[in-house]
Amino acid sequence: MPAVALAPSLPLEACEILPGLSDLIVEELAPKVVDIDLKGLYPDTFLRKLGTLGGLGGLTPASHGGSGLGLKHAIQIIEEASKHCVSTGFLLWAQYALQWYVLNGTNPALAADMLPKMARGEVLGGTAQSNTMKSCVGIEETRLKAQRVEGGYRVNGVLPWVSNIGPEHHFHMGASLPDAPGLVIGLLHGSTPGLTLAQNAHFIGMEGTNTFACQFRDVFLPDAQVVCHPHEFDAFRDRTKSAFILLQMGMGLGLVDACVGMMQRADKQFGHVNRFLDVQADALQAELDAARAATYDLADRIDRDGSAPHVKETLQLRLAGSELSLKAANAAMLHLGAKGYLSNNAAQRRLREAYFIAIVTPAIKHLRKELHEFDSHACALAQDEREVA
């Protein structure tokens, strides 16, 4: 965990974060968690009702139909859902990221039209930015290729897995051009001509996330739906990156909180033997408190200063969040023992969810690669300064 001098941040009750959130979770999310996990149920009713409550508009200012409560509030909403279901927490992250890109894009007409609908939950969707993020740091090539045509871009290629989308959803895409250093980012509807969505894979976790393969065959992206053009991409990335990644901490905080609770309940009966396990609930709670405090503090600073100054710290914290999630889920499974193997038991689901947190973009290996490059660049600069001196 990055070094921070912060007092532990006590978790708020869901009703303190958003009036009506507790009741909505009890009525529309908690009873459906097993079906979301095992049957692939998509919790669209929960998402839309949360939008009606005002729970999707934290990143969007009041001038565009949101509440403007900020990044910390959005993380807290994701955290509350993830205490019950990380699949749903991930969908909420996608909803916030959907708005964040439009809000920080260079198309004010698109923002004025779409942000109020997104903030109210009338428009659902995702980001399709895994490939974009990986291509920007040299992990893989861009899968979508674009050509400039009259009035917009023509796009071809395939994205293997894009979540929180469907024929009635929207999502962002990023494509490279043969003669431009940056990427074009656009917002598309799931029914766009030339776009084919296919559910050709089943997952051991996150099955209820509406994840599709997306094939682009001469898809036309009009200028009216462009979030940023290639020459604007670097500045757009600087504005969005840290908040985009830090939002994912809500999934980890919620999962670890749930794991601590499972361990505490198990110890009421088996504490006499669970005390011999390496990870205990009180120690894990202390690590959770520190992670939560660091996340909320960084969120407040990103709201004040923008994303660009905080990229390295965000990567460090997100990496620590992945590692803590794995540690907590493994500990919960060991504390529950054989009960954790039951197909409807939360312990084995939390273990699978923790692996998702560790491999969803940016994955642990991605984060370590970027941090290594930060350090290598700093060492090179220091060496240049010594040579000049």
Side-chain angles (χ1 to χ4, degrees), residues 162-376:
V162 180
S163 298
N164 202 34
I165 66 169
E168 301 303 321
H169 289 57
H170 287 73
F171 66 95
H172 296 291
M173 42 67 60
S176 62
L177 279 78
D179 56 351
L183 304 177
V184 57
I185 305 293
L187 180 69
L188 290 176
H189 191 267
S191 64
T192 300
L195 175 65
T196 300
L197 306 181
Q199 283 186 310
N200 54 11
H202 295 283
F203 304 96
I204 63 167
M206 319 308 289
E207 185 70 357
T209 57
N210 262 31
T211 298
F212 291 81
C214 304
Q215 184 174 56
F216 293 71
R217 292 177 177 169
D218 289 332
V219 170
F220 179 60
L221 171 67
D223 286 333
Q225 292 168 223
V226 169
V227 174
C228 77
H229 294 278
H231 68 278
E232 302 165 325
F233 177 74
D234 286 348
F236 170 79
R237 181 182 57 198
D238 288 345
R239 290 194 300 273
T240 58
K241 185 170 183 176
S242 292
F244 183 91
I245 295 172
L246 190 66
L247 279 165
Q248 295 180 347
M249 281 297 292
M251 295 188 290
L253 295 175
L255 179 140
V256 176
D257 189 283
C259 289
V260 170
M262 283 191 290
M263 292 164 67
Q264 290 170 336
R265 291 189 294 274
D267 287 352
K268 291 179 180 179
Q269 184 176 0
F270 297 108
H272 63 289
V273 63
N274 280 347
R275 68 188 181 92
F276 293 101
L277 292 171
D278 292 336
V279 180
Q280 297 297 313
D282 56 350
L284 192 61
Q285 180 68 57
E287 290 189 73
L288 172 61
D289 290 343
R292 183 179 280 126
T295 300
Y296 291 177
D297 174 71
L298 182 54
D300 287 340
R301 286 186 282 125
I302 290 172
D303 274 342
R304 290 196 304 268
D305 309 331
S307 277
H310 303 291
V311 173
K312 183 178 180 180
E313 187 177 356
T314 300
L315 297 174
Q316 291 172 325
L317 186 55
R318 176 67 177 83
L319 174 60
S322 288
E323 293 168 342
L324 183 60
S325 296
L326 291 170
K327 178 179 179 179
N330 184 65
M333 191 73 178
L334 293 176
H335 276 249
L336 265 75
K339 289 182 179 179
Y341 274 93
L342 296 174
S343 62
N344 63 348
N345 190 279
Q348 52 80 22
R349 174 168 57 85
R350 293 302 184 178
L351 194 60
R352 291 183 281 113
E353 290 175 340
Y355 276 103
F356 175 79
I357 292 170
I359 65 174
V360 68
T361 305
I364 283 179
K365 56 189 177 183
H366 178 152
L367 293 162
R368 289 178 178 168
K369 180 182 188 296
E370 282 209 56
L371 288 168
H372 170 76
E373 290 169 357
F374 263 106
D375 292 340
S376 297

Side-chain angles (χ1 to χ4, degrees), residues 17-21 24 47-60 65-69 73-74 77 96 99 118-121:
I17 297 168
L18 179 71
L21 178 59
L24 182 61
L47 296 174
R48 293 187 187 281
K49 287 187 175 182
L50 182 60
T52 301
L53 283 179
L56 296 179
L59 298 182
T60 298
S67 65
L69 292 173
H73 186 265
I77 296 286
Y96 286 120
Q99 294 172 66
M118 294 173 177
R120 291 193 298 264

